[in-house]
Amino acid sequence: MIDLDIDMRQYDCPFIDTTDDIDIAFSAVQWQLDTDAAKLETRLIAKADSRGALDDGLRTLREHPNMTNCYILSKRDNVAEIGTKIKETNAMQTIQRNGGYITGPFQIENGRERWHVGFDADEDEDRTLAELERHNDYSVENRDQFGPSTLFDLLENSESATQLLEGCRSLTETERETFEVASRNGYYETPRATTLDELADHFDISKTAVSMNLRRSERKVLQAALGAIDRMEDDDQL
C-alpha cells in the first residue's frame, strides 16, 4: 500500500472557499462517498476564533453553490459539530476513478486541505497525480509504502497509536511550542546544546516559567507513551 500525505487546494470545494474568506477551520470526523449520486456526506468539527466568526463561516458554507446540505448537530461557543453533503469535487472523482481511496481524516484551514490518500500500485498513484495537476494545486508532503506485515502491525496497535496521539494533542500551544523549540535546539542532547537560560531568553519569560512548561509537556507525552506501551504489552499477551 502506498500512502500519500497531500496538501491540496481544490477550486471547487465549499470548505476551502469558506476558509479562504472566513477565519474558520474544519476537521472531518466521518465521511461517506456516494459514487452513484456523486456526493460526499461528512460530519466535521468546525472551529473559529470567535462565535461570530463561526456563524459567518457556517453561513458562507451553506450558501456555497457546491453545498447540497449543511446542518448543525451541536454547537458551543466557537466550536460546532456539523453534517454536510457536497457535490463530488474534481479531486474526489480523479482519485476514485484511478483506484485511490481516502486513508484518514482530512483537515481544512486557510484555503488549504490536508488529505491522506492510498493506492495499491505505483501506476495508479502516478496517473492520479498527473490528472490532479490539471484542475488543482497540490504538493505531496509525505509518501510511505507499507507491506502487509507493516499494515497488520499498524492495525493491531491502532489503539496504542491513538492513545499516544491524544497525549500529544493534550499539550497546550505554549507547552507544544516550548517542547518543540527545546528539542530542535538540542536541549535533550548529551551534552545539551542549549540551556534553560537560553530558552527563557528565546521566549522572553523567566527560567522558572520555561522549566514548568517543559515539565508539563514532558509529563503529558511520557504518560501517553507509557500508556501506549502498556496497551501494546496487553495486546501481545492476548
Side-chain angles (χ1 to χ4, degrees), residues 7 10 67 77 103 106 110 126 156 172 183 231:
D7 181 63
Q10 302 182 75
M67 179 60 65
D77 298 328
T103 59
F106 50 89
N110 298 323
D126 294 340
E156 190 178 44
T172 66
S183 179
R231 188 181 293 272

Side-chain angles (χ1 to χ4, degrees), residues 9-11 13-24 26 60 108-112:
R9 179 174 178 81
Q10 302 182 75
Y11 295 107
C13 175
F15 304 111
I16 288 179
D17 288 346
T18 299
T19 61
D20 243 348
D21 299 329
I22 310 292
D23 192 8
I24 189 172
F26 300 98
T60 300
I108 311 103
E109 189 172 7
N110 298 323
R112 308 289 300 187

